[in-house]
Amino acid sequence: MTTVYLELGSKRIFACALEWPGWCRSGRDAERALAALTAYAERYAVVAEQAKIPFEPGDVRVVERVRGGTTTDFGAPEQPASADFAPRDRDTAQRQAALVQAAWDVFADVAAVTPAELRKGPRGGGRDRDKMIDHVIGAEASYARRIGVKHPAPAAGDTAALAALRADILDVLASPSDGTSPPRGGWPAAYAARRIAWHVLDHAWEMQDRATP
């Protein structure tokens, strides 16, 4: 059984798997969001395999609905579930961190075989590969501040700075927590893991889709 929460915007709904960081998809209504989530199970299985975590999702069960906002309608999840504020033991925290690392690894593997120029959208929009990579890295530096990790956004090609940023992110995500609420404006680690992995995988899958003629 896969436990899922729905984030309800006025124009878009996200379905997010609570125990699988990054496995979140959206649709115009709950039915479409859940169908999209299920359709992406095979793609998410690659992430679980990279993390060496068995992935047998089974049926989907919605356990919570939360109210989203303008970011939801824009196309990104923005609200944690109540479960994200619960205490996390070390095994759970390390499992979530391993899946985030696996999302990064999958993104790197996809980028390595993606052409520099990607097929444009129906209105001629969409980032090419290198700008997408820069966007993902820049967003991570911003997300990291929500969990108390403060690094400048690594410059393009600065692998040492990127490795340092991600190591500090993983230190937080892999640490157990007692359920204490984060500071105002901060994210609980479980939600941070989901949001970071979602953003990485959303763009990895976009690269794959837009690399085809």
Short mmCIF file of all heavy atoms in Angstrom, two decimals, residues 18 21-22 80-89 92-97 100 143-144 146-149 168-183 186-197:
data_model
loop_
_atom_site.label_atom_id
_atom_site.label_comp_id
_atom_site.label_asym_id
_atom_site.label_seq_id
_atom_site.Cartn_x
_atom_site.Cartn_y
_atom_site.Cartn_z
N LEU A 18 3.89 9.62 0.56
CA LEU A 18 4.52 10.06 1.80
C LEU A 18 5.87 9.39 2.05
O LEU A 18 6.79 10.02 2.57
CB LEU A 18 3.59 9.79 2.99
CG LEU A 18 2.44 10.79 3.16
CD1 LEU A 18 1.41 10.25 4.13
CD2 LEU A 18 2.98 12.14 3.65
N PRO A 21 10.18 9.98 -1.25
CA PRO A 21 10.51 11.36 -1.63
C PRO A 21 10.69 11.52 -3.14
O PRO A 21 11.44 10.76 -3.76
CB PRO A 21 11.83 11.62 -0.89
CG PRO A 21 11.80 10.69 0.28
CD PRO A 21 11.09 9.47 -0.20
N GLY A 22 9.99 12.48 -3.70
CA GLY A 22 10.11 12.76 -5.12
C GLY A 22 9.04 12.16 -5.98
O GLY A 22 8.85 12.57 -7.13
N PRO A 80 3.55 20.91 3.31
CA PRO A 80 3.83 19.61 3.94
C PRO A 80 2.55 18.95 4.43
O PRO A 80 1.52 19.61 4.61
CB PRO A 80 4.75 19.97 5.11
CG PRO A 80 4.44 21.39 5.42
CD PRO A 80 4.01 22.03 4.13
N ALA A 81 2.61 17.66 4.63
CA ALA A 81 1.53 16.91 5.25
C ALA A 81 1.75 16.88 6.75
O ALA A 81 2.86 17.13 7.24
CB ALA A 81 1.49 15.49 4.70
N SER A 82 0.71 16.56 7.50
CA SER A 82 0.87 16.49 8.95
C SER A 82 1.90 15.44 9.35
O SER A 82 2.63 15.61 10.34
CB SER A 82 -0.48 16.21 9.61
OG SER A 82 -1.01 14.98 9.16
N ALA A 83 2.00 14.36 8.57
CA ALA A 83 2.97 13.30 8.88
C ALA A 83 4.41 13.81 8.82
O ALA A 83 5.31 13.23 9.45
CB ALA A 83 2.80 12.13 7.92
N ASP A 84 4.65 14.88 8.07
CA ASP A 84 6.01 15.41 7.95
C ASP A 84 6.53 16.01 9.25
O ASP A 84 7.73 16.21 9.40
CB ASP A 84 6.08 16.46 6.84
CG ASP A 84 5.81 15.88 5.47
OD1 ASP A 84 6.16 14.70 5.25
OD2 ASP A 84 5.25 16.59 4.61
N PHE A 85 5.62 16.31 10.17
CA PHE A 85 6.01 16.90 11.45
C PHE A 85 6.17 15.86 12.55
O PHE A 85 6.48 16.20 13.69
CB PHE A 85 4.98 17.95 11.87
CG PHE A 85 4.90 19.13 10.94
CD1 PHE A 85 4.01 19.14 9.88
CD2 PHE A 85 5.73 20.22 11.12
CE1 PHE A 85 3.94 20.21 9.01
CE2 PHE A 85 5.67 21.32 10.26
CZ PHE A 85 4.78 21.31 9.21
N ALA A 86 5.95 14.59 12.22
CA ALA A 86 6.06 13.52 13.22
C ALA A 86 7.53 13.21 13.49
O ALA A 86 8.41 13.50 12.66
CB ALA A 86 5.35 12.27 12.72
N PRO A 87 7.83 12.64 14.65
CA PRO A 87 9.22 12.21 14.91
C PRO A 87 9.68 11.21 13.85
O PRO A 87 8.88 10.42 13.33
CB PRO A 87 9.13 11.54 16.28
CG PRO A 87 7.92 12.15 16.92
CD PRO A 87 6.95 12.39 15.80
N ARG A 88 10.98 11.24 13.54
CA ARG A 88 11.57 10.29 12.58
C ARG A 88 12.71 9.57 13.27
O ARG A 88 13.61 10.20 13.85
CB ARG A 88 12.12 11.00 11.34
CG ARG A 88 11.11 11.75 10.50
CD ARG A 88 11.76 12.27 9.23
NE ARG A 88 12.99 12.99 9.49
CZ ARG A 88 14.02 13.09 8.66
NH1 ARG A 88 13.98 12.50 7.49
NH2 ARG A 88 15.09 13.77 8.98
N ASP A 89 12.72 8.24 13.19
CA ASP A 89 13.85 7.51 13.75
C ASP A 89 15.01 7.52 12.74
O ASP A 89 14.86 7.99 11.61
CB ASP A 89 13.46 6.09 14.15
CG ASP A 89 12.94 5.25 12.99
OD1 ASP A 89 13.30 5.53 11.83
OD2 ASP A 89 12.17 4.30 13.24
N THR A 92 14.41 5.68 9.30
CA THR A 92 13.53 6.41 8.39
C THR A 92 14.26 7.60 7.77
O THR A 92 14.18 7.84 6.56
CB THR A 92 12.28 6.90 9.13
OG1 THR A 92 11.56 5.76 9.64
CG2 THR A 92 11.38 7.72 8.22
N ALA A 93 14.98 8.34 8.60
CA ALA A 93 15.70 9.51 8.11
C ALA A 93 16.76 9.11 7.08
O ALA A 93 16.90 9.74 6.02
CB ALA A 93 16.34 10.25 9.28
N GLN A 94 17.50 8.05 7.37
CA GLN A 94 18.55 7.63 6.45
C GLN A 94 17.97 7.08 5.15
O GLN A 94 18.56 7.25 4.07
CB GLN A 94 19.46 6.62 7.13
CG GLN A 94 20.30 7.25 8.24
CD GLN A 94 21.27 6.29 8.89
OE1 GLN A 94 21.18 5.07 8.72
NE2 GLN A 94 22.22 6.84 9.65
N ARG A 95 16.82 6.44 5.26
CA ARG A 95 16.15 5.95 4.04
C ARG A 95 15.73 7.12 3.16
O ARG A 95 15.94 7.09 1.94
CB ARG A 95 14.93 5.12 4.44
CG ARG A 95 14.09 4.60 3.28
CD ARG A 95 12.88 3.85 3.82
NE ARG A 95 12.02 3.37 2.76
CZ ARG A 95 11.12 4.09 2.11
NH1 ARG A 95 10.95 5.38 2.44
NH2 ARG A 95 10.38 3.55 1.16
N GLN A 96 15.17 8.17 3.75
CA GLN A 96 14.77 9.33 2.97
C GLN A 96 15.97 10.01 2.33
O GLN A 96 15.94 10.41 1.16
CB GLN A 96 14.00 10.31 3.86
CG GLN A 96 12.63 9.80 4.27
CD GLN A 96 11.91 10.72 5.24
OE1 GLN A 96 12.53 11.55 5.90
NE2 GLN A 96 10.59 10.59 5.32
N ALA A 97 17.06 10.12 3.09
CA ALA A 97 18.27 10.73 2.54
C ALA A 97 18.83 9.91 1.39
O ALA A 97 19.30 10.46 0.39
CB ALA A 97 19.32 10.89 3.65
N VAL A 100 16.91 10.70 -1.72
CA VAL A 100 17.29 12.00 -2.28
C VAL A 100 18.61 11.87 -3.03
O VAL A 100 18.76 12.39 -4.15
CB VAL A 100 17.37 13.07 -1.18
CG1 VAL A 100 17.95 14.37 -1.73
CG2 VAL A 100 15.99 13.33 -0.57
N TYR A 143 16.34 25.94 -1.33
CA TYR A 143 15.63 24.98 -0.49
C TYR A 143 16.44 24.67 0.77
O TYR A 143 15.88 24.49 1.86
CB TYR A 143 15.39 23.68 -1.24
CG TYR A 143 14.50 23.77 -2.45
CD1 TYR A 143 14.51 22.77 -3.42
CD2 TYR A 143 13.63 24.84 -2.64
CE1 TYR A 143 13.69 22.83 -4.53
CE2 TYR A 143 12.81 24.92 -3.76
CZ TYR A 143 12.85 23.90 -4.71
OH TYR A 143 12.04 23.96 -5.81
N ALA A 144 17.76 24.58 0.62
CA ALA A 144 18.62 24.21 1.75
C ALA A 144 18.48 25.19 2.91
O ALA A 144 18.57 24.78 4.08
CB ALA A 144 20.07 24.12 1.30
N ARG A 146 15.90 26.47 3.97
CA ARG A 146 14.69 26.13 4.73
C ARG A 146 14.97 25.08 5.81
O ARG A 146 14.15 24.87 6.70
CB ARG A 146 13.61 25.60 3.79
CG ARG A 146 13.17 26.57 2.70
CD ARG A 146 12.41 27.76 3.26
NE ARG A 146 11.71 28.49 2.21
CZ ARG A 146 10.40 28.55 2.11
NH1 ARG A 146 9.63 27.96 2.98
NH2 ARG A 146 9.84 29.24 1.12
N ILE A 147 16.12 24.41 5.71
CA ILE A 147 16.50 23.43 6.74
C ILE A 147 17.80 23.85 7.45
O ILE A 147 18.48 23.03 8.06
CB ILE A 147 16.63 22.01 6.17
CG1 ILE A 147 17.59 21.96 4.97
CG2 ILE A 147 15.26 21.47 5.76
CD1 ILE A 147 17.89 20.54 4.48
N GLY A 148 18.13 25.14 7.33
CA GLY A 148 19.27 25.68 8.07
C GLY A 148 20.61 25.51 7.41
O GLY A 148 21.65 25.77 8.04
N VAL A 149 20.66 25.11 6.15
CA VAL A 149 21.92 24.93 5.42
C VAL A 149 22.11 26.14 4.51
O VAL A 149 21.32 26.35 3.58
CB VAL A 149 21.91 23.63 4.60
CG1 VAL A 149 23.17 23.53 3.73
CG2 VAL A 149 21.79 22.41 5.50
N ASP A 168 25.89 18.69 3.14
CA ASP A 168 25.25 19.32 4.30
C ASP A 168 23.73 19.11 4.29
O ASP A 168 23.12 18.95 5.35
CB ASP A 168 25.58 20.81 4.34
CG ASP A 168 27.01 21.08 4.80
OD1 ASP A 168 27.68 20.13 5.26
OD2 ASP A 168 27.45 22.24 4.71
N ILE A 169 23.14 19.11 3.11
CA ILE A 169 21.71 18.79 3.02
C ILE A 169 21.46 17.38 3.53
O ILE A 169 20.55 17.13 4.34
CB ILE A 169 21.21 18.94 1.57
CG1 ILE A 169 21.18 20.42 1.16
CG2 ILE A 169 19.81 18.33 1.42
CD1 ILE A 169 20.87 20.64 -0.31
N LEU A 170 22.27 16.44 3.08
CA LEU A 170 22.08 15.05 3.49
C LEU A 170 22.30 14.86 4.98
O LEU A 170 21.63 14.03 5.61
CB LEU A 170 23.01 14.12 2.70
CG LEU A 170 22.66 13.92 1.23
CD1 LEU A 170 23.67 12.99 0.58
CD2 LEU A 170 21.25 13.35 1.06
N ASP A 171 23.22 15.61 5.56
CA ASP A 171 23.44 15.52 7.01
C ASP A 171 22.15 15.83 7.77
O ASP A 171 21.83 15.17 8.76
CB ASP A 171 24.54 16.49 7.45
CG ASP A 171 25.93 15.94 7.18
OD1 ASP A 171 26.06 14.74 6.89
OD2 ASP A 171 26.89 16.74 7.25
N VAL A 172 21.43 16.84 7.31
CA VAL A 172 20.16 17.20 7.96
C VAL A 172 19.10 16.15 7.69
O VAL A 172 18.41 15.68 8.60
CB VAL A 172 19.68 18.59 7.49
CG1 VAL A 172 18.29 18.89 8.07
CG2 VAL A 172 20.67 19.66 7.90
N LEU A 173 18.96 15.74 6.42
CA LEU A 173 17.91 14.81 6.07
C LEU A 173 18.10 13.44 6.72
O LEU A 173 17.11 12.75 7.01
CB LEU A 173 17.84 14.65 4.55
CG LEU A 173 17.56 15.91 3.73
CD1 LEU A 173 17.39 15.54 2.26
CD2 LEU A 173 16.34 16.64 4.24
N ALA A 174 19.34 13.05 6.95
CA ALA A 174 19.62 11.72 7.50
C ALA A 174 19.59 11.68 9.02
O ALA A 174 19.77 10.61 9.62
CB ALA A 174 20.98 11.23 7.01
N SER A 175 19.37 12.82 9.65
CA SER A 175 19.37 12.88 11.12
C SER A 175 17.97 12.64 11.67
O SER A 175 16.99 13.19 11.16
CB SER A 175 19.87 14.25 11.59
OG SER A 175 21.19 14.48 11.16
N PRO A 176 17.85 11.81 12.71
CA PRO A 176 16.53 11.61 13.33
C PRO A 176 16.03 12.91 13.95
O PRO A 176 16.81 13.82 14.23
CB PRO A 176 16.80 10.54 14.39
CG PRO A 176 18.26 10.65 14.69
CD PRO A 176 18.92 11.09 13.42
N SER A 177 14.72 12.99 14.14
CA SER A 177 14.14 14.19 14.73
C SER A 177 13.07 13.78 15.72
O SER A 177 12.47 12.71 15.62
CB SER A 177 13.57 15.11 13.66
OG SER A 177 12.54 14.44 12.95
N ASP A 178 12.82 14.67 16.69
CA ASP A 178 11.84 14.37 17.73
C ASP A 178 10.47 14.98 17.44
O ASP A 178 9.57 14.93 18.28
CB ASP A 178 12.35 14.85 19.09
CG ASP A 178 12.59 16.37 19.13
OD1 ASP A 178 12.26 17.06 18.15
OD2 ASP A 178 13.11 16.85 20.15
N GLY A 179 10.31 15.55 16.27
CA GLY A 179 9.03 16.13 15.91
C GLY A 179 8.89 17.60 16.26
O GLY A 179 7.81 18.18 16.06
N THR A 180 9.95 18.22 16.78
CA THR A 180 9.91 19.66 17.07
C THR A 180 9.68 20.44 15.78
O THR A 180 10.33 20.18 14.76
CB THR A 180 11.22 20.11 17.73
OG1 THR A 180 11.42 19.39 18.93
CG2 THR A 180 11.20 21.60 18.02
N SER A 181 8.76 21.37 15.81
CA SER A 181 8.45 22.15 14.61
C SER A 181 9.66 22.97 14.18
O SER A 181 10.41 23.49 15.03
CB SER A 181 7.26 23.08 14.85
OG SER A 181 6.09 22.33 15.07
N PRO A 182 9.88 23.14 12.88
CA PRO A 182 11.00 23.96 12.41
C PRO A 182 10.74 25.42 12.73
O PRO A 182 9.61 25.82 13.01
CB PRO A 182 11.00 23.71 10.91
CG PRO A 182 9.59 23.35 10.58
CD PRO A 182 9.08 22.59 11.77
N PRO A 183 11.78 26.27 12.67
CA PRO A 183 11.58 27.71 12.85
C PRO A 183 10.61 28.26 11.81
O PRO A 183 10.39 27.65 10.76
CB PRO A 183 12.98 28.30 12.68
CG PRO A 183 13.91 27.15 12.86
CD PRO A 183 13.18 25.92 12.42
N GLY A 186 10.69 27.67 8.02
CA GLY A 186 11.49 26.49 7.76
C GLY A 186 10.65 25.30 7.33
O GLY A 186 9.42 25.33 7.42
N TRP A 187 11.31 24.26 6.89
CA TRP A 187 10.64 23.04 6.46
C TRP A 187 11.02 21.89 7.38
O TRP A 187 12.20 21.76 7.74
CB TRP A 187 11.07 22.66 5.05
CG TRP A 187 10.53 23.50 3.95
CD1 TRP A 187 9.51 24.40 4.01
CD2 TRP A 187 11.01 23.51 2.59
NE1 TRP A 187 9.31 24.96 2.77
CE2 TRP A 187 10.20 24.43 1.89
CE3 TRP A 187 12.00 22.83 1.91
CZ2 TRP A 187 10.38 24.69 0.53
CZ3 TRP A 187 12.18 23.08 0.57
CH2 TRP A 187 11.38 24.01 -0.11
N PRO A 188 10.09 21.02 7.72
CA PRO A 188 10.48 19.77 8.37
C PRO A 188 11.30 18.93 7.40
O PRO A 188 11.10 19.01 6.17
CB PRO A 188 9.14 19.09 8.71
CG PRO A 188 8.14 19.72 7.80
CD PRO A 188 8.64 21.10 7.50
N ALA A 189 12.23 18.17 7.92
CA ALA A 189 13.16 17.44 7.05
C ALA A 189 12.46 16.49 6.10
O ALA A 189 12.88 16.32 4.94
CB ALA A 189 14.19 16.69 7.90
N ALA A 190 11.39 15.84 6.56
CA ALA A 190 10.68 14.90 5.69
C ALA A 190 10.10 15.62 4.47
O ALA A 190 10.14 15.10 3.35
CB ALA A 190 9.58 14.19 6.47
N TYR A 191 9.56 16.81 4.69
CA TYR A 191 9.02 17.57 3.56
C TYR A 191 10.16 18.07 2.66
O TYR A 191 10.04 18.05 1.43
CB TYR A 191 8.19 18.76 4.03
CG TYR A 191 7.75 19.62 2.87
CD1 TYR A 191 6.76 19.18 2.00
CD2 TYR A 191 8.37 20.85 2.61
CE1 TYR A 191 6.38 19.94 0.91
CE2 TYR A 191 7.99 21.61 1.52
CZ TYR A 191 7.00 21.15 0.68
OH TYR A 191 6.64 21.90 -0.41
N ALA A 192 11.27 18.51 3.27
CA ALA A 192 12.41 18.97 2.47
C ALA A 192 12.90 17.86 1.55
O ALA A 192 13.21 18.10 0.38
CB ALA A 192 13.54 19.45 3.38
N ALA A 193 12.97 16.64 2.07
CA ALA A 193 13.40 15.51 1.24
C ALA A 193 12.47 15.33 0.05
O ALA A 193 12.90 15.13 -1.09
CB ALA A 193 13.45 14.24 2.08
N ARG A 194 11.15 15.44 0.31
CA ARG A 194 10.18 15.25 -0.77
C ARG A 194 10.29 16.36 -1.81
O ARG A 194 10.30 16.10 -3.01
CB ARG A 194 8.76 15.21 -0.19
CG ARG A 194 7.68 14.95 -1.25
CD ARG A 194 6.28 14.87 -0.64
NE ARG A 194 6.28 14.00 0.49
CZ ARG A 194 6.06 14.41 1.75
NH1 ARG A 194 5.79 15.68 1.99
NH2 ARG A 194 6.10 13.56 2.74
N ARG A 195 10.38 17.60 -1.34
CA ARG A 195 10.40 18.74 -2.27
C ARG A 195 11.69 18.74 -3.10
O ARG A 195 11.66 19.00 -4.31
CB ARG A 195 10.26 20.04 -1.49
CG ARG A 195 10.30 21.30 -2.34
CD ARG A 195 9.13 21.39 -3.31
NE ARG A 195 9.20 22.61 -4.11
CZ ARG A 195 8.64 23.76 -3.78
NH1 ARG A 195 7.95 23.87 -2.66
NH2 ARG A 195 8.75 24.81 -4.56
N ILE A 196 12.82 18.50 -2.46
CA ILE A 196 14.09 18.49 -3.19
C ILE A 196 14.08 17.37 -4.23
O ILE A 196 14.43 17.59 -5.40
CB ILE A 196 15.28 18.33 -2.22
CG1 ILE A 196 15.43 19.60 -1.37
CG2 ILE A 196 16.57 18.02 -2.98
CD1 ILE A 196 16.38 19.44 -0.20
N ALA A 197 13.69 16.16 -3.82
CA ALA A 197 13.70 15.04 -4.76
C ALA A 197 12.68 15.25 -5.87
O ALA A 197 12.94 14.91 -7.03
CB ALA A 197 13.42 13.74 -4.01
#
